[in-house]
Structures are given as structure tokens and as C-alpha cells.
Amino acid sequence: MTRRTSTLWTFAITSLALFMVSLDNLVVTTAIPVIRADLGASLEQLEWTVNAYTLTFAVLLLTGAALGDRFGRRRMFALGLSIFTLGSVAAAVAPSIEALNIARAVQGVGGAIVMPLTLTLRSAAVPPEKRGLALGAWGGIGGLAIAFGPLVGGAVVEGIAWQWIFWLNVPLGLVLVPLALRRLEESHGPGGRFDLPGLALVSAGLFGIVWGLVRGNGQGWSSPEIVGSLAAGAILVAGFVLWELRAQAPMLPMRFFRSRSFALANTSSFLMFFGMFGSIFLLAQFFQTVQGYSPFGAGLRILPWTLAPMFIAPLAGALSDRISPRLIIGTGLTLQAVALAWIGLVSTPTVPYSELIAAGVGMALFFAPVANVVLSAVRPSEEGKASGANNTIRELGGVFGVAVLAAVFSHVGGYGSLEAFSDGMNTAVLVGAGVVSLGAIAAFAMPARLPSAEGDVEVSAPPLEQAA
């Protein structure tokens, strides 16, 4: 197999896998009202329908990258696809909301193995001078999956049944597993021991924090359960950081964060996904619960906001090799914050849809440049861990965004009336806009130059940044 043929197969297989696991982040959003009615789920349980996937996905991403480095990226990529496919089957046949949420967690385990390996496999398949373009295409595909998630979910729910949003993954998984084993080239990263104490600390800590945020409104924020859960989670996460500083083989090397570019790029990632995921979780329900649109109609109305990454992200990735990424990322997050703020200010039960169309150009400008900054800040042998760290942090942003904005929604409004839903959503989305604006500030604070592969030494300034 020639180098060109191998690269094309790598792009095709990793693109389809990336699309599948990214799609499942948001594919359930437009199905939530139907699942709520069909399975008699509460708001708290519906949050877990989203967060059971994203939390396991986020917590295990670094482990997925480490497994690929040690046992072979092709081998672990195929295993992750198999786990994801089995989780999809379990979700499709789930008889209760509890069973569905457990199956979503299994999907998250498989997705956590697949996601970072799509980036490292793709990066290894192209020469260094083409990496920005390759990462732009990766960002565009991820953005496309996010864009079509609500639309695909709505179309399937309306045309068939909500269970089929999970059945659709099964044939794709059955095709991709043998293709990956046959067509992808095996590669390894630096070996080493698994950081099991680190994995246990961060998993338990994040679960405790999310548990407290999700149940806070129902149980009371001052109740022993919530205070204890949040406190224990925070202590365990702090313990994780302390452990990683002294571990011989840390799952997340804290020295990565000595690079200002790496630290601020990941801060921007967390804050952007916080505002975006939490807002889409509520907006998809607003179109159905308040304005009476069908699931497909709701997905269609979200599409103009989320479709732009398909077209803009590849261009932004290519430009990030020439223009300072901080300009692209900072501008994108500023535009996204303005769009969210507008939605939060004008939404009412009778607001015309024409006033809610907020373009997703801002979100599209974010994806690929961030990936370029993160991978440029570490040595090539550490790209797997850096990719896993960035994906972990942004997925955690989504987890916290859904939990926090749903808590704001429940505190201010609720499902009691159309006006109550609008009031709760507007306040929550405005909070999301504020969080994304903080991400823009972090992006503009990044160094003007891309970091070198050594992590801290900066390369010469791009021409347009010098002119600015």
C-alpha cells in the first residue's frame, strides 16, 4: 500500500469514527422531550442521559490515549469502536431511563478510546507542514457531527423512534472495526506504567462534583448530600493534581501547563464547551416544549447555529499555520458569546425564529486552531497525552455546562409553564454567554506565536500578527 493510499484510508476511517462518537454528544438533545415522556424521566435523569456519556468519555480520554501508546493505536482504536458499538446496542434496547443512562456510559468508554486516537493516527499520517490542514479537516468533521447531532436525532425520532438514534451506530461500527484492523498502520507511543491511582482520583472526584451539581436543586444546596458530594469531589480532584505532580508515569503531566499556550488553550476549550453544551441542551427543548416544533423541526432550527464548523473549521485550521491562533480563537469565542447573549435576551414563547438565528461562525473558528496550539506545545511523542488532555478538558466543560446551566434553569424557571421555561432558559443561556466570553479573554491572552515542539520556546511571529 502506497503512502498516499495509506493516508487516504487513515483519513476516511478516522473521519467516520470521529463523526460517529462526536455525533453522540448531542444526538440525544432533540430526543430528550420524547424520552422524557416515553420513559417518565425527570430533569435530573435527563441530564444524566447527556452526562453519563460525556463524563465517562471525558474521564477516560487520557486512559484511551495511554492504551493506544502502549498496546498499539490501531488495535485499541478497533477495541474502542467495538465497545462503542455494543453500548449503542444496549442503549437501543434499554427498557428504562436507568438502563439507558448505563448504556450511555458504556458508549462513553468506547468513545474515550476512539477520540484521541483519531487525532494521533491522522497526525502521524501527514507530513508536519500539512498538519494544520489535517487538523482543520479533523475539526471540521467534529464540528459537522456537532452540527448534525440535533438534526439527526430529531429526524430519527420523528421518522422512526428514539431508539434508532443508537441503532444507526451499529452497522457503521461493524464496518469500521475490520477496516481499521486491515487498513490502518500500527503505531505506538512511549510506553510506561498505567496511572491507576490518578485515574481513580480524577474519576471519583469529577463524579462527586457532577453528582452534586445535578442533584443540588432537588435536594437543596445546603443539604449534607450536596455539600458532602461537592466537597469530596473537590478534595479528590485536588488530590489528583498533587498525585500527578509526583507520579513517575502521570496520565496528565502537569508540566504541560507550564506552557502558557497549552494552559490558556485548554482554559478556552473548557469555557467554550461549558457555554455551548449547556445552551444547546436547553435550546433543543425550548423549540419543542415551548414553541411546539417537532423533534426534526427543532433540530433543523438549531442547524444554522451549528453547521458553520463544517465550512469554516478547515479554513481556520489552514490559516492557523500562518495567522496567530489567538486572533482566530479569541475572535471566534467573542462571536459565540455575543450569539448566546442575543438568544438569552430576546427569547420568549412567541419570539419569531428569525430573531434566534445565531450563526456558528464563532464556534467554527475555535476547533482546529485550538488543536494546532495544543499539539504544537508538546513533543511529537507526547501528542497522544496532549490530545487526550485537550479532549478531556473540553468534554468536562460540556459536562459542567449541562449540569450548571440546568441547575440555573431549574432554579429560575422550569417545566411548569411556557413562560417559566423561557425565563429559566434565558437566564441560563446568559450565564453561558458570560462563561464563553471568559474563554475569549483567555484566548486573547495566549502568546502571539505558536509554541515549538519543546513546549515553551516560541517560533517566529506569523506575518499577519507582525502587521497587527
Side-chain angles (χ1 to χ4, degrees), residues 43 216-218 221 404-414 420 423-425 427-428:
L43 175 63
N217 278 322
W221 291 101
V404 172
L405 296 195
V408 172
F409 163 80
S410 182
H411 179 72
V412 176
D423 291 342
M425 186 195 77
T427 303

Side-chain angles (χ1 to χ4, degrees), residues 232-251:
I235 290 170
L236 288 169
V237 170
F240 165 75
V241 174
L242 292 175
W243 170 260
E244 295 300 283
L245 287 170
R246 61 182 293 271
Q248 291 184 351
M251 64 184 295

Side-chain angles (χ1 to χ4, degrees), residues 137-450:
W138 182 87
I141 292 164
L144 179 65
I146 290 173
F148 278 94
L151 182 66
V152 169
V156 171
V157 169
E158 187 172 338
I160 313 175
W162 65 263
Q163 289 86 351
W164 278 88
I165 62 180
F166 304 112
W167 280 124
L168 290 178
N169 295 324
V170 177
L172 187 56
L174 293 176
V175 170
L176 285 177
V177 170
L179 273 180
L181 292 172
R182 183 176 179 182
R183 296 293 183 177
L184 294 180
E185 295 182 3
E186 187 61 281
S187 63
H188 296 77
R193 293 180 297 176
F194 286 118
D195 183 15
L196 293 178
L199 176 62
L201 285 168
V202 72
S203 300
L206 293 172
F207 182 82
I209 293 173
V210 174
W211 180 271
L213 291 173
V214 169
R215 291 176 59 84
N217 278 322
Q219 301 300 313
W221 291 101
S222 60
S223 68
E225 175 190 340
I226 303 306
V227 173
S229 178
L230 294 174
I235 290 170
L236 288 169
V237 170
F240 165 75
V241 174
L242 292 175
W243 170 260
E244 295 300 283
L245 287 170
R246 61 182 293 271
Q248 291 184 351
M251 64 184 295
L252 177 56
M254 291 297 157
R255 59 182 171 79
F256 285 177
F257 293 93
R258 295 174 189 166
S259 166
R260 191 155 60 99
S261 295
F262 185 90
L264 291 172
N266 280 290
T267 300
S268 296
S269 295
F270 179 89
L271 296 172
M272 188 273 189
F273 269 65
F274 187 115
M276 185 193 75
F277 267 63
S279 298
I280 291 179
F281 175 77
L282 295 170
L283 191 63
Q285 296 182 70
F286 171 81
F287 284 129
Q288 296 177 69
T289 303
V290 177
Q291 297 205 320
Y293 292 110
S294 66
F296 177 73
L300 196 62
R301 282 160 178 79
I302 294 173
L303 193 59
W305 185 27
T306 57
L307 185 60
M310 175 183 175
F311 303 100
I312 306 298
L315 177 61
L319 289 176
S320 70
D321 289 329
R322 298 173 47 245
I323 303 173
S324 174
R326 76 173 183 181
L327 295 178
I328 303 174
I329 299 169
T331 300
L333 293 182
T334 300
L335 292 173
Q336 194 64 30
V338 170
L340 286 174
W342 175 257
I343 291 172
L345 290 171
V346 305
S347 296
T348 65
T350 58
V351 64
Y353 173 67
S354 60
E355 294 189 24
L356 296 180
I357 298 177
V361 173
M363 185 168 62
L365 291 174
F366 161 84
F367 285 108
V370 162
N372 204 1
V373 171
V374 167
L375 295 190
S376 297
V378 301
R379 300 179 182 90
S381 62
E382 297 174 322
E383 285 183 351
K385 285 189 175 181
S387 167
N390 179 245
N391 282 293
T392 294
I393 289 167
R394 71 184 196 178
E395 291 296 329
L396 287 175
V399 171
F400 281 91
V402 170
V404 172
L405 296 195
V408 172
F409 163 80
S410 182
H411 179 72
V412 176
Y415 292 102
S417 67
L418 303 185
E419 290 75 15
F421 192 104
S422 295
D423 291 342
M425 186 195 77
N426 289 347
T427 303
V429 171
L430 286 172
V431 171
V435 171
V436 174
S437 68
L438 294 176
I441 294 171
F444 282 123
M446 288 193 298
R449 306 174 180 91
L450 271 176

Side-chain angles (χ1 to χ4, degrees), residues 64-152:
L67 288 170
D69 287 345
R70 182 167 182 178
F71 294 112
R73 291 163 179 160
R74 179 185 64 185
R75 182 182 295 114
M76 297 312 302
F77 180 77
L79 176 62
L81 284 172
S82 300
I83 294 171
F84 183 88
T85 303
L86 290 173
S88 298
V89 172
V93 300
S96 66
I97 189 65
E98 292 81 10
L100 174 61
N101 290 345
I102 292 171
R104 290 281 287 163
V106 174
Q107 280 188 301
V109 173
I113 299 173
V114 171
M115 172 68 85
L117 297 180
T118 63
L119 190 55
T120 50
L121 286 166
R122 177 179 292 244
S123 181
V126 298
E129 65 272 14
K130 298 290 186 182
R131 186 167 65 178
L133 183 60
L135 297 183
W138 182 87
I141 292 164
L144 179 65
I146 290 173
F148 278 94
L151 182 66
V152 169

